[in-house]
Amino acid sequence: MNLHRLLQQRAANNNPVRVALIGAGKFGSMFLSQVPRTPGFHVTGIADLNPARAMDSLSRVGWPKEKHAATSMEAASQSSATFITDDAMSLIASPYVDVVIDATGSPSAGIAHVLACCTHKKHIVMVNVEADALAGPLLAKRANDAGIVYSLAYGDQPALICEMVDWARTAGFDVVAAGKGTKYLPEYHASTPDTVWGYYGFTPEMVAGGDFNAQMFNSFLDGTKSAIEMTAVANATGLTPAPLGLDFPPCGVDDLARILKPKAHGGILHHRGQVEVISSVERDGRPVFRDLRWGVYVTFAADSEYVRRCFKEYGLVTDASGEYSSMYKPFHLIGLELGISVASAALRREATGAATAWRGDCVATAKRVLKAGEVLDGEGGYTVYGKLMPAVDSLAKGALPIGLAHKVKLVRDVAIGETVTWDHVAIDSGNTAAEFRRAMEAEFSV
């Protein structure tokens, strides 16, 4: 409740939170748009593989050119300007940085950046949920051992879900389910970058006139992004996936308590305490009434006659029994809200969500029949999609995480819908992300 006041104090004391941003894409740009409006922040450095793109991003969000004209990190620290570079590791090592934001989306880069932050004692905010889904439990443990904060990114749905779960539990409620909304139909699992725009309703003219990445948009559609995000939520909250992964039931906000409860009580959940994503369209394609496509939710139980009566007295929407109710947030504001994670890490030394154990995994699943010799193209591509799976099942199957299913060659055929395993692929011995993931499997399997 007091982050803004603490930031104002830092500004008044001329001691702003010094931030380094790695990755100046959409999420990073949205954060940058809010920095001039937020007291107590100074972005001392931005790293991007294309520094010119970072400069364009700053101009696009309204920063005057002199604000990104610093010639070094030291010069930036002595002014209100920002240093731009293509060297992310130099920013992490800089003495003029308190908090690092990884907004790259690259699992391998994310792992390297977290480990560098551990070495240089910099708090890390992971917009890079792909890296968290791949190895978040071990990354969070390494960060804790190093005495730094490792945090999911507020504004992205996983951190908002973690916040709602924490709210419910702190209020004394048992969380029955938590998750997010999306647009889903079963056929979307087979979508590729060639078919994605038709599902979104984008015309060729719209695509040609915009800054659209087909593979990224397809990862939102084919279920991969949902599975990645629910992996992060499961590992952070203690809620767990159903054995068959996400069901994506059609559900509007008025039906959360009726649908997101255990099957034994008339709902669709495999068990109490589950992560689940709901769809904004019915299976026949009709829109769901009062859908939650852009939002997050939590369902919880009364567990007493007195609380059930309170639910009724205060107008909560419940199931027919009055036992189950819900709360939801209809939107998430992506990078516009990211400053909450940065301030929380720097000023409270608290994460806005972080893995506490390995409970869920996002595994590569064949979109079509795949043949030995083919090269997997990762999240949102033509070959595989990500499916949520309990971690214990992933480990037993030797499943290949979606974060490693990129630019690796198959050595065995894979049937459509089959889980890709480590034995299906040839991974270079020098793949540090794969080695780190293997280390996590070994550490968390005991």
Side-chain angles (χ1 to χ4, degrees):
M1 296 289 188
N2 64 353
L3 283 176
H4 185 254
R5 178 180 60 81
L6 294 174
L7 284 171
Q8 287 178 314
Q9 290 177 353
R10 293 289 290 259
N13 295 335
N14 196 28
N15 181 30
V17 176
R18 299 168 299 178
V19 183
L21 171 65
I22 305 174
K26 181 65 172 178
F27 207 117
S29 295
M30 294 176 80
F31 168 69
L32 292 171
S33 75
Q34 298 303 98
V35 169
R37 302 172 175 84
T38 309
F41 282 159
H42 179 192
V43 177
T44 50
I46 300 173
D48 195 279
L49 294 176
N50 183 352
R53 183 178 77 153
M55 294 179 186
D56 289 343
S57 295
L58 288 168
S59 297
R60 187 166 56 251
V61 302
W63 282 33
K65 189 171 183 179
E66 61 269 17
K67 291 283 288 183
H68 49 92
T71 57
S72 67
M73 288 295 286
E74 182 176 11
S77 72
Q78 296 170 356
S79 67
S80 60
T82 299
F83 177 60
I84 297 177
T85 179
D86 60 2
D87 186 354
M89 289 301 185
S90 69
L91 292 192
I92 295 172
S94 170
Y96 308 111
V97 171
D98 304 309
V99 181
V100 173
I101 300 169
D102 183 309
T104 64
S106 165
S108 58
I111 289 171
H113 294 155
V114 173
L115 296 179
C117 284
C118 291
T119 298
H120 297 286
K121 309 299 183 185
K122 307 295 169 64
H123 303 310
I124 175 79
V125 175
M126 289 294 282
V127 175
N128 190 345
V129 71
E130 291 81 5
D132 187 82
L134 176 61
L138 187 55
L139 290 173
K141 184 178 185 298
R142 293 285 178 87
N144 184 67
D145 292 345
I148 64 170
V149 175
Y150 170 94
S151 179
L152 297 175
Y154 202 90
D156 221 355
Q157 285 164 306
L160 300 184
I161 297 166
C162 289
E163 179 184 52
M164 295 198 81
V165 170
D166 188 58
W167 163 81
R169 288 172 171 165
T170 304
F173 296 117
D174 185 51
V175 174
V176 176
K180 54 169 260 184
T182 193
K183 183 180 179 182
Y184 170 85
L185 288 173
E187 66 194 73
Y188 293 171
H189 287 311
S191 178
T192 72
D194 289 339
T195 63
V196 64
W197 301 130
Y199 288 123
Y200 277 102
F202 290 5
T203 66
E205 292 75 20
M206 290 171 63
V207 175
D211 183 17
F212 299 117
N213 180 314
Q215 188 156 343
M216 181 187 72
F217 271 74
N218 198 47
S219 74
F220 296 132
L221 187 77
D222 70 8
T224 301
K225 187 66 73 174
S226 290
I228 285 173
E229 292 185 336
M230 292 306 101
T231 296
V233 172
N235 292 337
T237 63
L239 304 174
T240 52
L244 297 180
L246 297 171
D247 191 47
F248 297 95
C251 182
V253 296
D254 300 319
D255 290 321
L256 287 166
R258 180 177 65 84
I259 293 175
L260 277 304
K261 62 181 181 180
K263 289 179 181 177
H265 292 175
I268 60 91
L269 298 181
H270 172 268
H271 61 270
R272 184 161 163 157
Q274 184 175 316
V275 290
E276 186 58 83
V277 175
I278 58 176
S279 178
S280 64
V281 292
E282 303 285 354
R283 290 296 190 257
D284 62 5
R286 290 179 297 115
V288 165
F289 179 65
R290 284 176 35 87
D291 70 80
L292 195 65
R293 180 176 180 182
W294 308 109
V296 299
Y297 76 90
V298 61
T299 59
F300 47 90
D303 287 332
S304 84
E305 180 57 39
Y306 179 80
V307 175
R308 285 192 288 275
R309 189 163 67 247
C310 290
F311 283 177
K312 184 175 181 179
E313 290 170 349
Y314 286 89
L316 274 71
V317 176
T318 68
D319 71 328
S321 72
E323 172 66 15
Y324 297 100
S325 191
S326 64
M327 284 288 181
Y328 63 92
K329 189 172 187 176
F331 303 106
H332 64 296
L333 298 182
I334 327 294
L336 300 180
E337 301 180 87
L338 181 56
I340 293 171
S341 287
V342 177
S344 182
L347 304 177
R348 291 178 176 162
R349 297 185 65 86
E350 289 184 354
T352 51
T356 59
W358 191 31
R359 304 178 182 94
D361 200 14
C362 182
V363 303
T365 307
K367 288 186 173 182
R368 54 174 174 79
V369 174
L370 302 174
K371 296 294 185 180
E374 288 193 69
V375 176
L376 301 182
D377 57 356
E379 179 184 350
Y382 294 85
T383 57
V384 292
Y385 71 93
K387 182 177 180 179
L388 181 65
M389 181 180 289
V392 64
D393 294 343
S394 172
L395 192 64
K397 285 188 173 185
L400 183 73
I402 191 70
L404 296 178
H406 183 63
K407 295 183 179 179
V408 293
K409 183 178 289 189
L410 289 171
V411 296
R412 291 168 48 196
D413 295 351
V414 187
I416 185 170
E418 184 180 355
T419 299
V420 182
T421 70
W422 289 93
D423 291 338
H424 281 121
V425 298
I427 294 183
D428 295 338
S429 58
N431 188 321
T432 56
E435 291 173 358
F436 192 84
R437 165 63 187 227
R438 284 298 211 184
M440 187 190 83
E441 292 181 358
E443 183 157 345
F444 285 87
S445 64
V446 295

